[in-house]
Amino acid sequence: MSVSGSESGRGRVGLFVTCLADLFRPSVAWASVQLLEQAGFEVAVPDRQTCCGQPAYNAGDLPTARRVARGILDAFEPFDYVVAPSGSCAGMLRLHLGRLFVSEQETAARAEHLARRTHELTEFLVDVASWTGVAAEFPHRVTYHDSCSSLREMAVRDQPRALMAQVQGLELVELGDRDVCCGFGGTFCVKYPDISTKMVSDKTAAIAATGAETVLAGDLGCLLNIAGRLAREGRPVACRHVAEVLAGTTGTDPIVPVGP
Amino acid sequence: MMDGAAAARFPEASARALGDENLQAALRLLGEGFQARRTDAVERFAGFEDARDAAVAAKTRTLRNLDRHLETFEARCREHGGVVHWAETPADARQIVLELLTDRGVRALSKGKTMVAEEIGLNGFLEANGIEVIETDLGEYIIQLAEEAPSHIIVPAIHKTMPQVADLFRQHHDQAKAGSFPRRTPADLVAEARAVLRRRFLEADAGLTGANFLVAETGSSVIVTNEGNGDLTQTLPQLHIVLATIEKVVPTLADGAAILRVLARSATGQDMSAYTTVSTGPRRPSDVDGPAEYHVVLLDNGRSRLLGTPAEEVLRCIRCGACMNHCPVYGAVGGHAYGWVYPGPIGAALTPALLGVGAARHLPNASSLCGRCEEVCPMRIPLPKIFRYWREQEHAARLNSERMRLGLALWGWFAARPRLYRLATGVAMRVLSRLAGRSRRFRSLVLASGWTRSRDLPAPAGRTFLNSWKRRS
Ligand code: SF4
């Protein structure tokens, strides 16, 4: 296990990178590390982590989900907090892992212990760390997409907005349909692509209606879906994870570069 | 009755629905209509969350001792001169209703809105046996003319646009009087239907209604409507038949009132529906009107089997329709795509119990698990959790596709072996990143065609985070 160099003593955070950030967009994880360190925590990234197991769990494949979940329980045992830059994965760890082990008392207790320590990134920064030290600038009109798991499983709604309000120059315009799903839904989007397409098209139309230059969100799954549809429709709107903006690491390209 | 096989054709049916202009126009009204009205109703009523808790508690208590409450209901109903019939299967229920009608020489039956009649395919069965069915609910009447099934549990004809309804009336209503029907506004159409239907109410020798709930302590059945058609259906004819499923019973009138406090608000955004009608037994000597006979047909059809399973919470459903009004999947494809009686989230949770997981397997899968249904469900039914339960049953019974199972197993094998996973994903992401070139996206990718048919796939960065992190430290 590798631990980042940080002077602080507010506690040790194990970063749950999430498989999508790991594979598709490492900048989200770097930004998360930076924010957690700025907030005064020591950040570790256990290298035995892979995925939260949702693809199997939501497909009804409990044996596979269990196999993956055991790895998570081992990897994140030693931390004061477990933080994920995703409401969806944090929701899996907090609300669903325990369900997998109802017939294994000891493992269920470990899952319960993990659930109590697990947080979504913005929720952790605001509610647990009471951190108000955002030092970033983003002089753009943005809109924010709430992922369904953030909103409904993790009660994350005001926290990212409180943090965005500290970003210099950022102007937030809310979506007209802000409590409606973007149509990602994990494997749903490839199992029922026509319905998913209709849903994401409604979402990109709502995004366009805000006049925002950039869409931010706290979940990479939604962002890949929305960015992919915006690009296909040729709409010049950039997509980024909110952590990148909060950390001021927006030098990288947005999820799909905007323009020809 | 729609047959269960149609539920298995959900993907094809939903593709058709997405291309149906009329349907899409009709569905667009859900947002401004039902969703906005429910939001307003909830905001107007400060006690809504408490009322939800009370309704949930009432129904939970009921289900814990369902058999006892049903027995009480039967006893009280009998004391008031009513008759209770028990039906285990749809065929049993159809036969009981048919015999009640034929024994009394009934030729025409007026019918209020009931989803249970759809569930047992009653209309077709009675008509095949020479009994005319007169639908008295406007929406049911419209789809009866169109020879279609309901596409929504409280607004059966929601998929029809106004011009389509006007066309139906033009085809079916007395041409001699056509001139007197302007058919320009929705109000014109309602007035026309009312004029035609009123006359036919009087022709019926028997009336059949559903029940929003049954009250054990009084032996009564209760229905709520906005058109008042239920009253006429059950008071005018000599015979009143109530068709209900066993989970509709509640112990007391107070429990029923707890349900009423959340029902209309969740359904149509009204504080109360226009008419709430309580029926207790047949007409007594002192009554001014009412039927000479009062029968209640209680159908199980698989519900008692759900008790004690993780899906039992669907039995709390009060059929308000809020879940479908707020469901983005229902909003995209409408009710017919679901292929059976109950569409939307409640259909996805209930249909596998009634038709079997095999026939209904698409319904609980066709959800992004966004949870909006659970959020608005007045009875706090954890619908996404129940979808997952059915998915688990499907997987355990090997009813899902072999490709899906293999994919998951392979992915799981790697995901449980971090070192190998790191190696494999490291190579894969580097290759993908190179392939994407400068555009940083894929416009088409064979292995992800479901995705790339309608959206670009953003390219991965190249080096994975965990591989980079290892080098940093
Ligand atoms: S599941 Fe809930 S929201 Fe849907 S119809 Fe039943 S009570 Fe209403």
Side-chain angles (χ1 to χ4, degrees):
Chain A
M1 178 171 321
S2 39
V3 174
S4 73
S6 165
E7 69 294 350
S8 140
R10 293 195 71 185
R12 285 181 80 210
V13 171
L15 181 69
F16 188 80
V17 175
T18 80
C19 62
L20 289 179
D22 176 36
L23 305 184
F24 276 82
R25 202 156 169 88
S27 53
V28 175
W30 290 116
S32 305
V33 172
Q34 186 186 315
L35 289 166
L36 291 165
E37 289 180 350
Q38 282 173 1
F41 294 85
E42 183 189 316
V43 182
V45 183
D47 55 12
R48 274 184 300 165
Q49 62 178 303
T50 54
C51 168
C52 68
Q54 270 191 93
Y57 179 66
N58 289 336
D61 184 353
L62 296 189
T64 300
R66 236 171 249 132
R67 211 167 301 138
V68 176
R70 282 185 216 283
I72 300 171
L73 291 177
D74 293 341
F76 287 92
E77 198 76 67
F79 301 102
D80 302 318
Y81 307 101
V82 177
V83 176
S86 157
S88 173
C89 310
M92 177 70 192
L93 302 193
R94 188 191 280 177
L95 300 170
H96 299 283
L97 230 52
R99 250 203 85 206
L100 292 171
F101 301 106
V102 276
S103 51
E104 294 176 42
Q105 220 176 356
E106 199 181 313
T107 319
R110 291 176 68 203
E112 171 57 31
H113 178 56
L114 175 71
R116 277 198 305 274
R117 293 174 292 143
T118 298
H119 302 274
E120 184 271 348
L121 177 68
T122 62
E123 174 227 357
F124 180 77
L125 291 172
V126 173
D127 296 346
V128 179
S130 307
W131 184 62
T132 53
V134 176
E137 205 182 318
F138 196 68
H140 298 282
R141 170 185 280 228
V142 309
T143 189
Y144 190 81
H145 168 68
D146 293 283
S147 82
C148 299
S149 341
S150 290
L151 205 54
R152 302 200 175 90
E153 294 196 324
M154 301 299 288
V156 171
R157 193 181 62 173
D158 300 338
Q159 299 90 332
R161 289 172 176 82
L163 294 168
M164 282 186 289
Q166 299 169 42
V167 176
Q168 295 259 321
L170 182 149
E171 181 202 350
L172 175 67
V173 188
E174 293 288 2
L175 283 169
D177 62 348
R178 55 187 263 193
D179 67 334
V180 181
C181 177
C182 72
F184 174 64
T187 51
F188 167 77
C189 69
V190 288
K191 279 203 283 188
Y192 300 93
D194 300 332
I195 300 172
S196 169
T197 299
K198 160 83 170 120
M199 288 163 69
V200 70
S201 305
D202 287 350
K203 187 57 75 182
T204 52
I207 289 167
T210 64
E213 303 151 67
T214 302
V215 192
L216 301 178
D219 275 80
L220 209 41
C222 312
L223 280 166
L224 293 174
N225 182 39
I226 292 170
R229 184 62 188 170
L230 285 168
R232 181 62 57 90
E233 292 174 330
R235 296 191 199 260
V237 184
C239 293
R240 286 184 186 280
H241 193 285
V242 67
E244 299 170 30
V245 169
L246 297 175
T249 57
T250 46
T252 51
D253 275 340
I255 291 177
V256 174
V258 173
Chain B
M1 178 171 58
M2 295 178 276
D3 66 349
R9 292 191 295 270
F10 178 84
E12 299 79 11
S14 56
R16 263 198 312 281
L18 284 162
D20 181 337
E21 291 296 328
N22 276 318
L23 175 64
Q24 293 299 323
L27 290 172
R28 267 193 288 278
L29 302 175
L30 281 175
E32 306 140 35
F34 286 103
Q35 292 175 18
R37 269 180 271 152
R38 176 196 173 271
T39 307
D40 287 349
V42 168
E43 276 167 11
R44 273 198 311 273
F45 178 35
F48 187 69
E49 293 307 315
D50 292 339
R52 269 172 104 173
D53 290 336
V56 171
K59 207 67 195 207
T60 306
R61 212 155 17 87
T62 310
L63 293 174
R64 220 172 284 140
N65 291 300
L66 187 58
D67 46 354
R68 210 184 66 218
H69 300 303
L70 285 167
E71 279 164 21
T72 310
F73 174 79
E74 180 177 26
R76 292 286 128 52
C77 182
R78 201 181 308 133
E79 281 164 27
H80 289 105
V83 184
V84 174
H85 307 260
W86 300 94
E88 198 176 322
T89 66
D92 297 342
R94 287 192 298 260
Q95 200 55 41
I96 292 167
V97 173
L98 180 66
E99 278 169 20
L100 284 171
L101 299 177
T102 48
D103 287 354
R104 290 157 185 79
V106 172
R107 309 306 309 267
L109 171 77
S110 71
K111 189 162 154 277
K113 213 184 87 52
T114 143
M115 292 309 294
V116 181
E118 297 293 330
E119 182 178 327
I120 67 173
L122 187 64
N123 284 19
F125 176 77
L126 292 181
E127 272 155 16
N129 283 283
I131 290 167
E132 187 194 357
V133 177
I134 302 164
E135 293 288 358
T136 62
D137 173 88
L138 179 57
E140 290 286 348
Y141 174 64
I142 292 167
I143 58 168
Q144 188 186 31
L145 294 183
E147 297 181 17
E148 287 175 7
S151 69
H152 189 288
I153 62 173
I154 64 163
V155 203
I158 195 168
H159 58 287
K160 289 272 179 248
T161 59
M162 212 201 77
Q164 288 178 313
V165 175
D167 275 350
L168 277 171
F169 285 5
R170 201 166 294 132
Q171 283 165 33
H172 292 274
H173 288 170
D174 190 349
Q175 286 310 312
K177 289 198 191 152
S180 58
F181 298 132
R183 296 184 184 126
R184 275 188 301 264
T185 65
D188 292 341
L189 294 173
V190 172
E192 175 173 347
R194 196 162 274 172
V196 174
L197 285 173
R198 270 291 142 83
R199 201 156 11 92
R200 301 188 57 203
F201 276 148
L202 304 171
E203 294 165 13
D205 324 304
L208 182 136
T209 65
N212 287 86
F213 51 87
L214 306 166
V215 183
E217 68 172 355
T218 61
S220 318
S221 61
V222 178
I223 55 169
V224 299
T225 70
N226 277 319
E227 298 170 14
N229 58 320
D231 285 356
L232 295 178
T233 308
Q234 65 194 54
T235 51
L236 291 180
Q238 285 302 297
L239 168 64
H240 176 201
I241 303 172
V242 177
L243 178 60
T245 45
I246 54 170
E247 84 283 12
K248 288 280 169 247
V249 73
V250 292
T252 65
L253 261 175
D255 294 322
I259 289 171
L260 288 179
R261 267 193 289 279
V262 295
L263 177 57
R265 290 186 167 96
S266 303
T268 50
Q270 295 163 287
D271 294 335
M272 280 292 273
S273 302
Y275 301 87
T276 300
T277 313
V278 183
S279 309
T280 312
R283 171 186 197 160
R284 281 156 297 198
S286 56
D287 291 344
V288 284
D289 58 11
E293 287 187 69
Y294 173 82
H295 293 259
V296 180
V297 181
L298 280 176
L299 172 70
D300 182 343
N301 196 19
R303 284 159 176 87
S304 55
R305 270 203 316 269
L306 280 178
L307 289 167
T309 73
E312 77 172 345
E313 290 176 84
V314 295
L315 298 177
R316 283 207 301 270
C317 175
I318 55 173
R319 305 286 187 269
C320 72
C323 56
M324 59 200 75
N325 292 342
H326 291 77
C327 173
V329 174
Y330 179 92
V333 302
H336 286 159
Y338 290 79
W340 203 58
V341 180
Y342 302 101
I346 182 59
L350 183 61
T351 309
L354 304 187
L355 294 184
V357 186
R361 55 174 286 264
H362 279 297
L363 310 189
N365 275 290
S367 160
S368 64
L369 302 176
C370 77
R372 208 175 179 215
C373 49
E374 178 176 1
E375 186 174 77
V376 297
C377 172
M379 302 305 288
R380 303 195 196 279
I381 299 172
L383 293 150
K385 184 181 120 189
I386 295 170
F387 302 163
R388 273 198 201 92
Y389 168 70
W390 292 123
R391 295 178 188 190
E392 286 155 21
Q393 300 294 305
E394 178 198 12
H395 185 85
R398 304 185 146 267
L399 294 165
N400 50 356
S401 80
E402 206 45 50
R403 210 173 124 210
M404 180 80 176
R405 305 178 66 83
L406 256 168
L408 283 171
L410 191 68
W411 167 85
W413 192 88
F414 275 105
R417 289 167 178 76
R419 215 180 297 257
L420 267 175
Y421 176 90
R422 211 69 70 220
L423 213 65
T425 54
V427 173
M429 292 307 124
R430 200 151 337 140
V431 171
L432 273 177
S433 178
R434 291 249 174 83
L435 281 176
R438 292 188 42 206
S439 77
R440 307 313 300 148
R441 78 194 76 172
F442 296 95
R443 292 189 194 280
S444 84
L445 207 60
V446 187
L447 283 174
S449 59
W451 180 288
T452 57
R453 216 184 312 147
S454 64
R455 53 212 134 181
D456 294 350
L457 180 69
R463 191 186 293 283
T464 67
F465 174 76
L466 278 144
N467 285 335
S468 312
W469 179 263
K470 243 191 293 181
R471 304 174 111 225
R472 174 184 125 160
S473 31

